[in-house]
């Protein structure tokens, strides 16, 4: 994975710090605001429920009073009198409940016999003669009204009902009078802004219209109440707007908030619009701050990165330039701090490096000249000594011939002369060869590139040495080719390449005086071809390997030290590389890596 | 005697009659109104009590001499239309020809009528649709005791349904009151009467007992208005079961406050004489037995309550309860005449226009769009025809209602009951006492 840059890390660090801080502050502020809103909602709900209870009690007293008025009216007394007849006929009282309801301004008025038969009903006149569901002929406490559930033609409603007996003789007729606990009742409550109250029956089935509250939510809200809870809460989403509902259980009987059967619930809805708007505003502002902080972090990190990393980048570029051989590279010193100190040290280091390199080059140059001189002296001394001996022999033979003046002496002189001149010529030829080799190395021609079949070139080069491999039966050399068919052709000067291979093969033969094995191979890489020459000779010591390609360096007694230097020169001219691996006593392998095309070699370099 | 003198007819005054909003349609157009049409438009003959035919515009008749069987009707003298034109034989013949009869004028006082169908000619001539009227310029004039006043004062336009003025040139002499105003009084016309805003009020039957309790005089017709539940999407068997489930007696006793008659037949018992053969007792167990397997087919069944007819609304609610007791889950919908998508029942009033069972059955057959069995000549034939009609027509009879009028203290009548069996008011026989002389 690519390492993250300093500026990126700096940006990340600053951004994370800023964003984290803003997020933390926003979260804390949101939580605090939400808590405040929730607390306020709870307080307002409590106040609303208290208001509801007060209104419930007030209306209950009013209903009880009006039910009492109905029960004591002469019309109801007539009904009670009729009830005492052996076969009472209540038909004429059919409309009585409606009239009483109108008089007392109570929407719910029913007259019921002791066995629950409806004599007259204001809210559902057609129920005349039917049984009143759930009716019990038991009086309620005087002056009170009870919470109950009343059947209406179009469903059920919660109702506040006064229940009064009217007894004449042995018979009792019951007056049930009251008013529904409906929206009209709720409208009398003073609601804080954003709050509303709803009433639902326990069945919930006919309450779908309750303020658009979805049935599923209503069921979920009522479920805890059915299990006996007195309060349940739920956040409901109605047409995209959140509302917090608190459901307060309403039970049958005088104590509407506990006791009898669960009849319904008072739902106190509190719009979360303001709360959510506040939270959304906080989040929005948080996001704005975060955005601004991010931009600030970006700017600061950019500025800091520029300030800190620019010298470092310059240093890195300088280091890269130095590694590429530009020893004179210097970086600008921008400051006096640690980075500035580092830049100064870098400059000092490169200056020292350049100085040392110059000294090294100079010393190497001197050493090379010394070596050259030593090699030249050594190479030239060898033939010069026989020359000197031969000339001295020739002088001595001439002196002997002149002293003897005899034909024999002359004949001996001639013989010595002939022998000496041939020796002189041979040594002079030897000298010439030595000089030619030095001259050849000095005059390495530039390569003339053409497409060359690598494997064919290897075969040809090896074939030249066939006779030499078999020359010494005592020390036979076996040559093996391990060629990669995919090696193909490369851009190369075939003559120079043959020369390099010849030198490598000669070295290999020289390394195996006792005979051995030579392995010549090729292998295709992605953009290059590898040529290898491996011998099973004596190998090269590590300290020798380091100087192997230095001109005039040789490990052999009679070598010029130019062979591998020539190989390296050829490979370098082909933009290739040469490697050597060797193990003392086990053999040596030279590997030439040559680019497929000179274009590829240039790219690689 | 002072008492006798105070009851002598008095001419003059405006008679105001208050009716329920729901009844306004009965009076709005005299040409179509069975209640007041006879006061504006008259016929050659008319039905009297007990359905007897009486001479009216024609004073007498005889078979004409000639090759064809024609009846010659002699007109009364001095007949005039409300526009003042003379109503002679030519005008009558023209009017009757327009009503589809073949007739000609003979002289100025005789109209020759040729019967074309087996229908008794004299009954035809007594039907409302054979009234004598003169039509010109999109106006229609009759010869009756009252003429229609076209103009209505702007202030009363929203409440006045019809104004009738006394026709001074009526052949019987002008009626007692100068003008009759029929006004709409919301849902409580009796209140208008008790408040002195009306002299006569058409009383909703459910209020009659209470009005009577308060001492008001009531004029009742015989039960001539049939309340039926029209059924939609119910099989004949469902209809029978629904009929058995209906508690007609409770409806009549409580909702109708004892007025009218509970009825499971189309014709009232007083008219047919066989109404008792159609039992009205509620039989919930039998109905429940039938509906036991029909809940799915009748799922969502509704009873439609007409919003502007409180009585029918209450009865609809009761019908729903009764069907509920028989095992059906029934909704009550406040719906207009458009009906409901599923099976439903809708209550409707049907007014009978004839005292003759056969004629009444023909009328019902037409109104219920159900053909009749042919033979209506014998009482047995009429009974069987009604059975057939009841089996075929998608209706359940509930009750027959009378027309009931509450009478104000100033209003007097020259006859004991100025409402005939079919509920027609004879306003021409009424007069108003002077203010303050009523008590």
């Amino acid at each position: 994975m690519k390492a993250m840059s300093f500026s990126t890390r700096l940006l990340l660090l600053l951004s994370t710090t800023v964003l984290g801080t803003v997020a933390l502050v926003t979260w804390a502020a949101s939580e605090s605001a939400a808590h405040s809103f929730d607390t306020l909602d709870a307080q307002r709900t409590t106040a609303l429920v208290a208001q509801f209870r007060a209104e419930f009690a007030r209306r209950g007293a009013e209903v009880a009073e009006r039910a009492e008025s109905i029960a004591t009216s002469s019309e109801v007394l007539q009904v009670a009198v009729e009830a005492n007849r052996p076969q009472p006929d209540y038909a004429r009282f059919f409309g009585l409940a409606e009239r009483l309801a109108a008089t007392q301004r109570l929407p719910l008025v029913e007259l019921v016999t002791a066995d629950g038969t409806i004599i007259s009903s204001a809210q559902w006149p057609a129920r005349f003669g039917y049984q009143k569901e759930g009716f019990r002929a038991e009086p309620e406490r005087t002056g009170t009204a009870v919470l109950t559930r009343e059947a209406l033609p179009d469903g059920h409603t919660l109702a506040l009902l006064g229940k009064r007996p009217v007894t004449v003789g042995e018979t009792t007729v019951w007056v049930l009078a009251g008013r529904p606990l409906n929206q009209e009742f709720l409208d009398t409550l003073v609601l804080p802004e954003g709050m509303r109250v709803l009433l639902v029956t326990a069945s919930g089935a006919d309450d779908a219209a309750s303020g658009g509250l979805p049935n599923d939510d209503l069921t979920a809200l009522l479920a805890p109440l059915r299990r006996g809870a007195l309060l349940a809460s739920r956040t409901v989403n109605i047409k995209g707007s959140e509302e917090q509902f608190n459901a307060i259980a309403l039970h049958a009987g005088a104590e509407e908030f506990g006791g009898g059967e669960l009849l319904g619930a008072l739902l106190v809805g509190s719009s979360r619009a303001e709360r959510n708007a506040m939270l959304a505003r906080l989040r929005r502002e948080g996001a704005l701050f975060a955005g601004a902080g991010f931009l600030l972090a970006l700017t600061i990190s950019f500025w800091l990165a520029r300030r800190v990393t620019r010298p470092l980048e310059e240093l890195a570029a300088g280091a890269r330039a130095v590694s590429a051989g530009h020893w004179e590279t210097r970086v600008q010193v921008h400051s006096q701090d640690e980075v500035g100190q580092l830049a100064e040290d870098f400059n000092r280091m490169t200056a020292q490096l350049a100085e040392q390199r110059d000294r090294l080059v100079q010393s190497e140059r001197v050493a090379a000249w010394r070596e050259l001189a030593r090699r030249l002296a050594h190479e030239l001394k060898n033939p010069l000594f026989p020359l000197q001996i031969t000339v001295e022999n020739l002088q001595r033979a001439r002196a002997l011939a002149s002293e003897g003046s005899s034909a024999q002496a002359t004949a001996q002189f001639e013989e010595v002369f002939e022998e000496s001149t041939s020796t002189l010529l041979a040594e002079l030829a030897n000298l010439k060869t030595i000089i030619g080799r030095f001259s050849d190395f000095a005059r390495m021609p530039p390569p003339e590139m053409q497409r060359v079949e690598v494997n064919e070139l290897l075969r040809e080069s090896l074939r030249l040495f066939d006779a030499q491999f078999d020359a010494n039966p005592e020390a036979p050399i076996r040559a093996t080719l391990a060629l990669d068919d995919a090696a193909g052709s490369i851009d190369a000067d075939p003559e120079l390449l043959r020369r390099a291979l010849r030198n490598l093969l000669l070295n290999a033969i020289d390394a195996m005086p006792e005979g051995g094995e030579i392995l010549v191979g090729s292998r295709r890489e992605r953009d290059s071809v590898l040529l290898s020459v491996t011998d099973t000779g004596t190998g090269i010591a590590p300290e020798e390997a380091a100087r192997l390609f230095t001109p005039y360096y040789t490990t052999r007694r009679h070598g010029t030290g130019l062979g591998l230097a020539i190989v390296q020169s050829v490979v370098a001219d082909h933009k290739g590389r040469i490697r050597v691996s060797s193990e003392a006593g086990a053999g040596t392998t030279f590997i030439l890596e040559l680019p497929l095309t000179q274009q590829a070699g240039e790219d690689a370099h | 005697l002072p008492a006798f003198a105070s009851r002598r007819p008095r001419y003059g005054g405006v008679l105001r009659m208050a009716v329920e909003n729901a009844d306004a349609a009965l009076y709005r157009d005299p040409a179509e109104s069975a209640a007041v049409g006879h006061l504006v438009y008259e016929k050659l003959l008319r039905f009297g009590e007990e359905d007897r035919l009486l001479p009216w515009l024609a004073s007498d008749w005889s078979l004409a001499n000639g090759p064809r069987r024609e009846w010659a009707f002699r007109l009364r003298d001095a007949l005039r239309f409300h526009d003042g034109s003379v109503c002679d034989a030519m005008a009558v013949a023209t009017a009757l020809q327009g009503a589809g009869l073949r007739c000609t004028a003979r002289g100025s006082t005789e109209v020759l009528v040729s019967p074309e169908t087996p229908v008794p000619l004299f009954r035809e001539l007594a039907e409302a649709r054979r009234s004598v009227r003169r039509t010109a310029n999109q106006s229609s004039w009759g010869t009756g005791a009252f003429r229609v006043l076209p103009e209505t004062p702007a202030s009363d336009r929203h409440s006045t349904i019809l104004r009738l003025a006394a026709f001074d040139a009526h052949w019987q002499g002008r009626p007692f009151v100068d003008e009759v105003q029929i006004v709409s009084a919301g849902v409580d016309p009796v209140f208008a009467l008790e408040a002195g805003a009306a002299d006569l009020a058409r009383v909703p039957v459910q209020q009659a007992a209470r009005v009577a309790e308060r001492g008001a005089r009531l004029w009742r017709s015989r039960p001539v208005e049939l309340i039926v539940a029209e059924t939609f999407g119910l099989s004949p068997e469902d209809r029978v079961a629904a009929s058995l489930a209906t508690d007609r007696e409770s409806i009549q006793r409580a909702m109708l406050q004892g007025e009218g008659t509970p009825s499971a037949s189309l014709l009232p018992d007083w008219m047919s004489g066989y109404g008792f053969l159609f039992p009205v007792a509620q039989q919930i167990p039998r109905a429940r037995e039938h509906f036991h397997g029909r809940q799915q087919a009748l799922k969502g069944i509704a009873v439609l309550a007409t919003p502007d007819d409180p009585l029918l609304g209450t009865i609809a609610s009761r019908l729903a309860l009764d069907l509920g007791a028989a095992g059906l889950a029934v909704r009550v919908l406040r719906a207009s005449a458009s009906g409901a998508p599923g099976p439903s029942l809708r209550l409707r009033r049907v007014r009978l226009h004839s005292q003759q069972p056969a004629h009444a059955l023909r009328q019902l057959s037409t109104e219920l769009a159900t053909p009749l069995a042919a033979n209506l000549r014998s009482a047995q034939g009429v009974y069987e025809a009604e059975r057939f009609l009841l089996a075929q027509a998608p209706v359940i009879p509930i009750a027959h209602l009378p027309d009931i009028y509450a009478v104000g203290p100033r209003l007097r009548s020259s006859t004991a009951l100025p409402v005939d069996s079919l509920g027609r008011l004879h306003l021409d026989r009424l007069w108003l006492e002077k203010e303050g002389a009523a008590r």
Side-chain angles (χ1 to χ4, degrees), chain A residues 21-314:
Chain A
T21 307
V22 171
L24 195 66
V25 170
T26 305
W27 174 79
S30 300
E31 283 298 303
S32 173
H35 179 70
S36 300
F37 269 98
D38 292 345
T39 307
L40 186 63
D41 265 358
Q43 288 169 352
R44 294 200 302 181
T45 301
T46 307
L48 205 51
V49 171
Q51 197 187 148
F52 176 83
R53 298 184 75 152
E55 186 65 16
F56 187 90
R58 189 185 72 74
R59 291 229 179 182
E62 180 196 329
V63 162
E65 190 181 326
R66 293 186 186 188
E68 192 65 36
S69 294
I70 292 173
T72 54
S73 68
S74 60
E75 293 100 324
V76 175
L77 197 63
Q78 285 178 35
V79 177
V81 170
E82 181 70 30
N84 270 281
R85 295 183 194 280
Q87 287 188 322
D89 179 7
Y90 298 113
R92 65 194 173 101
F93 303 113
F94 173 74
L96 177 59
E98 283 184 273
R99 292 196 294 277
L100 293 170
T103 307
Q104 292 296 334
R105 284 181 291 136
L106 287 179
L108 309 176
V109 175
E110 280 184 331
L111 305 176
V112 179
T113 63
D115 65 356
T117 304
I118 297 170
I119 296 170
S120 181
S121 171
Q123 61 267 31
W124 198 349
R127 282 217 297 172
F128 161 84
Y130 275 83
Q131 284 295 116
K132 182 161 181 67
E133 57 187 19
F135 174 76
R136 284 181 305 193
E138 295 166 3
E140 300 292 343
R141 190 155 47 89
T142 307
T144 60
V146 295
L147 183 67
T148 184
R149 194 174 65 154
E150 278 298 304
L152 296 178
D154 50 359
H156 286 85
T157 182
L158 294 177
L160 195 53
L161 216 61
K163 187 175 173 187
R164 295 289 171 269
V166 181
T167 305
V168 171
E170 298 293 316
T171 314
T172 299
V173 169
W174 291 84
V175 172
L176 309 176
R179 59 175 67 252
L181 246 65
N182 53 15
Q183 196 56 44
E184 181 270 332
F185 176 89
L186 297 179
D187 286 346
T188 60
L189 303 179
V190 180
L191 300 177
E193 196 179 339
M195 295 194 85
R196 61 172 176 158
V197 283
L198 303 169
L199 276 166
V200 293
T201 57
S203 68
D206 52 343
D207 301 310
S210 302
L213 193 62
N215 261 332
D216 290 347
D217 288 311
L218 184 60
T219 307
L221 207 49
L222 293 181
L225 306 187
R226 290 201 179 92
R227 292 194 294 269
L230 294 177
L231 179 71
S233 295
R234 186 177 175 83
T235 303
V236 177
N237 193 316
I238 300 174
K239 292 177 184 169
S241 176
E242 265 194 6
E243 202 166 348
Q244 172 73 23
F245 274 100
N246 290 306
I248 296 100
L250 298 175
H251 293 88
E255 295 297 326
E256 74 280 9
F257 295 105
E261 174 201 359
L262 177 72
L263 293 182
L266 175 71
L267 303 186
V268 180
S270 175
S271 169
R272 291 202 149 197
E274 200 179 338
R275 175 186 185 275
N276 291 346
M278 167 66 87
L279 295 182
R281 197 161 61 245
L282 280 173
R283 287 191 203 107
R284 199 165 51 244
E285 285 171 2
L288 276 176
F289 277 115
F294 180 76
L295 286 177
L296 190 64
L298 194 67
T299 309
I300 290 174
S301 62
F302 182 74
W303 178 76
L304 274 178
R306 290 275 297 171
R307 191 174 165 74
V308 175
T309 61
R310 193 174 163 193
L312 293 179
E313 282 171 0
E314 286 178 3

Side-chain angles (χ1 to χ4, degrees), chain A residues 89 91-92 94 99 124-130, chain B residues 210 250 253-255 257 314 317-318 321-322 325:
Chain A
D89 179 7
R92 65 194 173 101
F94 173 74
R99 292 196 294 277
W124 198 349
R127 282 217 297 172
F128 161 84
Y130 275 83
Chain B
R210 196 161 57 87
S250 287
R253 278 189 302 110
M255 295 173 184
Q257 287 292 285
T314 311
S317 186
R318 180 68 182 202
L321 275 169
D322 291 344

Side-chain angles (χ1 to χ4, degrees), chain B residues 21 42 111-112 121 124 139 146 159 179 229 238 240 244 252 282 284 291 306 326 368 422 427:
Chain B
N21 274 352
E42 295 175 316
V111 179
L112 301 178
L121 174 65
E124 270 290 293
S139 296
F146 289 95
S159 62
E179 186 178 333
D238 292 334
V240 171
L244 290 171
Q252 190 265 343
Q282 185 187 31
I284 286 291
F291 286 131
T306 317
L368 302 177
L422 294 175
L427 296 173

Side-chain angles (χ1 to χ4, degrees), chain B residues 270-306:
Chain B
W270 68 265
M271 186 188 289
S272 68
Y274 55 70
F276 64 92
L277 292 174
F278 296 83
V280 295
Q282 185 187 31
Q283 297 183 54
I284 286 291
R286 280 185 61 193
R288 185 182 285 276
E289 189 180 340
H290 169 78
F291 286 131
H292 180 64
R294 295 283 294 160
Q295 276 93 344
Q296 196 57 37
L298 298 174
K299 191 176 179 184
I301 187 170
V303 177
L304 309 179
T306 317

Side-chain angles (χ1 to χ4, degrees), chain B residues 77-91:
Chain B
D77 295 334
L79 292 180
R80 286 191 177 275
F81 287 107
H82 294 153
D83 64 344
S85 59
V86 175
C87 176
D88 56 8
M90 181 59 75

